[in-house]
Amino acid sequence: MKKVLIIEDDTALRENTAELLELSNYEVITAPNGRTGIEQAKKNKPDVVVCDIMMPEVDGYGVLEALSLDASTNQIPFIFLSARTDHKEVRKGMDLGADDYLTKPFEEEELLKAIETRLAKAEVFKTLLNNIPQSSSDEDQLRNLNELKNFFDDNGEELSFKKGEVIYQEGSRSFRIYLITRGVVKTYQIDKSGKELITSLFKEDEFLGFTSILDNVAYEESAEALEDVKLVGVSKSVLKDILDNNNNLSMELLQLLSHNVAHVKSQLLQMAYSSVRKKTAQTILQFASVYNKDAQEDICITRNDLASVAGIATESLIRTLSGFKKDGLIEIEGRSIKIIDLSGLEKVE
């Protein structure tokens, strides 16, 4: 019999939900507030937690953070149950590491399905992790990055974002690593004057969110979908367990992250010392590469994003694009840019 912990300050809702789950053959533990809920979770080790957000003493976000920081509870599936329906609130809960988010009032079947789904996924993760060899002399289950990406595809939490939606916010807590399965994502920081600086561009089949492998570390940048995006996310604690037992995979991932750091350094040097024309040309080529566009294909991107990556004023970028158009290097129609002379653009100094 699976054990469910319900943390809810509304007595009637708490008791009704407990009765529903007991009739569905779950063992139920209840708590009237966040502080008691944390204590019950650490004491009883439930198979899943269903938790309200607005509660006395400790709110739902505080409960999730406390359980995420404890090695004995950070693998327990966590479902928020709240009257808050605002999209930002839902996204905040998911960014903090929640596995699901149900809004009140909810249908009985909706809650039961959410619990069943989270329990099933937890069992899959548990089985996979138990099958990971404990010694590098054994046959590794996940030998390389391609197999790790397959693990993400098969077991990760699927998430979708519309163009322009923020995936995670600078300063929010980082509990997941993502693999992009469709679309392009930009990461950026906002300086003291409010100006946006794009730090990286990520495309399909690339990892996103490696602020640190440690849980509860704040993101140092924000991430936004440049087009409709699909991601699969795996908790850092699960990924850490995999890497702890797969030395070869850990080295491959380290090499990948080192390459990303080298790329960022190269971009910073370009921003610091290259001419405006070269910065603009290299940025167009970079976007073409990320969007996987060949010469003669349109690249649809805002002038602000181009200027942000290049590290120049938008006005300077627009003037430079006009010059490239006169030189026959590109064509411009609205927000779309088409590379006409790829070789010429690569030789711009």
Side-chain angles (χ1 to χ4, degrees), residues 197-199 261-274 279 309-310:
L197 172 64
I198 295 179
T199 53
V261 171
H263 175 75
V264 171
K265 286 184 177 180
S266 176
Q267 182 178 339
L268 290 173
L269 286 172
Q270 174 184 302
M271 290 170 60
Y273 298 110
S274 296
K279 291 177 184 177
V309 172

Side-chain angles (χ1 to χ4, degrees), residues 270-286:
Q270 174 184 302
M271 290 170 60
Y273 298 110
S274 296
S275 67
V276 171
R277 281 175 57 84
K278 184 169 183 177
K279 291 177 184 177
T280 304
Q282 291 300 314
T283 301
I284 294 172
L285 293 171
Q286 183 179 351

Side-chain angles (χ1 to χ4, degrees), residues 18-75:
E19 183 178 1
L20 165 66
L21 295 179
E22 286 170 348
L23 290 172
S24 300
N25 295 318
Y26 288 104
E27 179 184 346
V28 180
I29 307 163
T30 62
N33 58 62
R35 180 183 58 78
T36 305
I38 295 169
E39 293 172 356
Q40 291 280 31
K42 293 182 178 181
K43 176 183 177 182
N44 294 287
K45 304 297 188 298
D47 295 291
V48 63
V49 174
V50 179
C51 183
D52 188 21
I53 292 180
M54 298 299 293
M55 295 184 296
E57 300 197 42
V58 179
D59 66 11
Y61 299 133
V63 173
L64 176 56
E65 182 172 2
L67 299 187
S68 298
L69 291 173
D70 191 316
S72 68
T73 57
N74 62 14
Q75 295 294 321

Side-chain angles (χ1 to χ4, degrees), residues 33 98-99 116 152 158 179 210 214 278 282 293 307-309:
N33 58 62
D99 297 281
E116 290 169 4
F152 270 70
E158 296 181 359
L179 177 69
F210 266 110
L214 301 176
K278 184 169 183 177
Q282 291 300 314
K293 298 289 188 181
S308 179
V309 172

Side-chain angles (χ1 to χ4, degrees), residues 157-173:
E157 180 78 17
E158 296 181 359
L159 300 167
S160 297
F161 296 87
K162 295 293 185 182
K163 180 178 179 180
E165 271 196 283
V166 174
I167 297 167
Y168 55 77
Q169 196 82 39
E170 181 179 354
S172 63
R173 295 299 174 182

